[in-house]
Amino acid sequence: MHSIQDRVPVSIVIANYNYAHFLRRSIDSALEQDYDEAEVIVVDDASTDATADVIASYGSRIKTCLREMNGGHAAAFNTGFASSHGEIVLFLDADDYLYPNAVSEVVEAWEDRTAQVQFRLHIVDEQMQVKDVFPPVELPFDSGDVTPELLRKGRYQTTVTSGLAFKRSVLDKVMPVPEPEFRQGADGYLATVAPLHGEVTSIEDCLGAYRIHGANHSVFAEKLGQRARWRIKHDFRRLEALSDQASEIGLNMRDDAGLHDPVHLEERLASLCIDRDQHPVANDSRLSLAAAGAAASLKMNASRKRRLMLAGWFLSVGVLPRDMARTILSWKLVASSRPRFLLRLSKTIRHAMG
């Protein structure tokens, strides 16, 4: 491991689009790190709000990249990375923020074979009140060499943009992020392909905050069908990129990887149940997806109780009448839709499965 005295240069790239009301907290959190060798780069993706005034107020304390045309998440990542110099690079969404010890903890945990460090985040609301932890503490991170999991099912247990840090030499191999394909969800691309070139190191502590609010791309309010379709298509793009990059280094990913991934199968099932006419995979059936989901759940890196509960959920959505299946889907995917008794029950179950 590195000691803090090694003073590895680190870059924090903040990607912003029309988040002026959150941006100051994000920039301040990057500048307030208890680690001296951290440069802060703010990429503005052609915002139309008050972002320019916020950025200007920091003067030379930050490096600024102002994009003339809006290009999305991947374009902002690519722009920021091209301007960075750190051996370790963190991409921070402008509505999220880091705790002061985040960079020093990442550097301390870094090992020679590390390609990516991942850490948990507090889920906070717009007023920065802590609501939960992401990923939930009862879901163990996958660490070390995760390539076998990636080649088997195209996913491992990781986190979102603001909970990730990458080795620069690995990013040199996998960037630029393809911009049209990953206009949203560029972190999904990086976290999928970076571990092909090294190991994943996990930190269990929460080192920052992941803000959930009505404008998050990942929330889509409660438009479950739209959200599911986007995630399915994003997964297919990730899997294609993973297959291409794996083949470049002599590895083969199974053709049916998505059918071994409970997260992907959950979205396929949601899309099919909610809006069959717009579902993007023609030959899917509820029963086949549910059976695959139940089988995949039993192989998860989670407690036995959690695996059994998820397998049972898949089977119930697969065999119950469509209206009942939709209700059960919404209860799992949107906590606010759950009746009061189920909220109490889910807390009890979650505690038991921790």
Side-chain angles (χ1 to χ4, degrees):
M1 294 186 182
H2 289 289
S3 70
I4 297 302
Q5 286 69 38
D6 289 340
R7 291 300 170 199
V8 178
V10 175
S11 299
I12 303 172
V13 177
I14 300 174
N16 176 77
Y17 176 64
N18 282 348
Y19 274 165
H21 53 307
F22 297 132
L23 180 59
R24 191 173 297 280
R25 180 70 189 93
S26 187
I27 295 175
D28 287 346
S29 79
L31 291 172
E32 291 166 359
Q33 291 298 304
D34 62 9
Y35 185 84
D36 294 336
E37 301 298 319
E39 65 171 354
V40 180
I41 300 166
V42 181
V43 181
D44 182 59
D45 196 21
S47 294
T48 56
D49 63 0
T51 289
D53 293 335
V54 174
I55 289 176
S57 71
Y58 287 91
S60 61
R61 298 171 67 199
I62 62 174
K63 183 184 289 188
T64 303
C65 301
L66 303 177
R67 291 181 49 83
E68 294 184 2
M69 293 182 61
N70 178 262
H73 214 203
F77 277 27
N78 291 337
T79 299
F81 179 63
S83 295
S84 71
H85 297 94
E87 291 180 30
I88 298 171
V89 182
L90 293 82
F91 295 95
L92 178 62
D93 282 338
D95 52 339
D96 299 338
Y97 52 94
L98 298 172
Y99 297 153
N101 61 329
V103 169
S104 59
E105 292 288 339
V106 166
V107 173
E108 187 70 35
W110 209 275
E111 300 179 348
D112 289 341
R113 289 184 50 78
T114 299
Q116 170 187 309
V117 163
Q118 54 192 17
F119 50 88
R120 296 190 193 273
L121 299 165
H122 282 125
I123 295 177
V124 300
D125 61 17
E126 295 198 36
Q127 288 72 45
M128 298 188 293
Q129 296 297 309
V130 174
K131 299 297 183 181
D132 209 338
V133 173
F134 186 87
V137 292
E138 63 269 21
L139 283 182
F141 273 135
D142 287 324
S143 303
D145 180 8
V146 301
T147 299
E149 281 290 272
L150 279 168
L151 298 179
R152 183 177 73 84
K153 64 177 186 178
R155 195 188 304 270
Y156 61 99
Q157 185 57 57
T158 184
T159 186
V160 292
T161 307
S162 301
L164 297 168
F166 299 94
K167 189 174 188 177
R168 180 174 205 88
S169 60
V170 170
L171 293 180
D172 283 333
K173 295 176 182 177
V174 302
M175 291 185 80
V177 182
E179 294 184 7
E181 293 87 349
F182 296 96
R183 182 175 175 83
Q184 280 85 34
D187 55 324
Y189 167 83
L190 290 179
T192 298
V193 297
L196 293 174
H197 303 282
E199 295 186 351
V200 174
T201 300
S202 300
I203 299 172
E204 289 299 323
D205 294 336
C206 290
L207 299 182
Y210 174 34
R211 199 188 305 247
I212 299 294
H213 53 87
N216 285 76
H217 174 75
S218 58
V219 171
F220 281 124
E222 294 191 5
K223 299 178 181 177
L224 292 183
Q226 180 184 350
R227 181 180 72 175
R229 288 192 301 276
W230 180 84
R231 288 180 171 175
I232 292 164
K233 291 172 184 175
H234 182 259
D235 273 350
F236 286 151
R237 289 190 286 267
R238 281 194 317 102
L239 292 171
E240 183 177 4
L242 175 60
S243 179
D244 289 346
Q245 297 221 10
S247 65
E248 288 179 10
I249 57 175
L251 299 174
N252 292 312
M253 186 183 78
R254 60 187 306 162
D255 294 335
D256 63 346
L259 294 178
H260 298 269
D261 173 17
V263 178
H264 177 74
L265 290 163
E266 181 178 297
E267 301 296 345
R268 293 258 288 265
L269 202 48
S271 170
L272 186 63
C273 278
I274 292 165
D275 194 343
R276 176 189 289 273
D277 291 342
Q278 294 195 64
H279 182 62
V281 186
N283 296 324
D284 276 351
S285 72
R286 276 202 295 148
L287 193 57
S288 64
L289 290 174
S297 300
L298 297 176
K299 297 181 180 179
M300 286 176 61
N301 177 17
S303 70
R304 183 172 181 271
K305 288 181 181 178
R306 189 177 189 88
R307 287 181 278 130
L308 290 172
M309 287 287 294
L310 188 56
W313 178 86
F314 270 110
L315 294 175
S316 65
V317 175
V319 302
L320 288 173
R322 187 175 300 274
D323 286 347
M324 292 180 67
R326 285 175 178 163
T327 300
I328 293 172
L329 271 165
S330 69
W331 285 355
K332 184 176 189 300
L333 300 178
V334 183
S336 60
S337 72
R338 297 170 194 163
R340 194 178 300 272
F341 82 88
L342 195 63
L343 287 170
R344 290 195 297 267
L345 180 63
S346 66
K347 287 181 181 177
T348 303
I349 292 170
R350 180 173 172 183
H351 183 265
M353 294 191 302

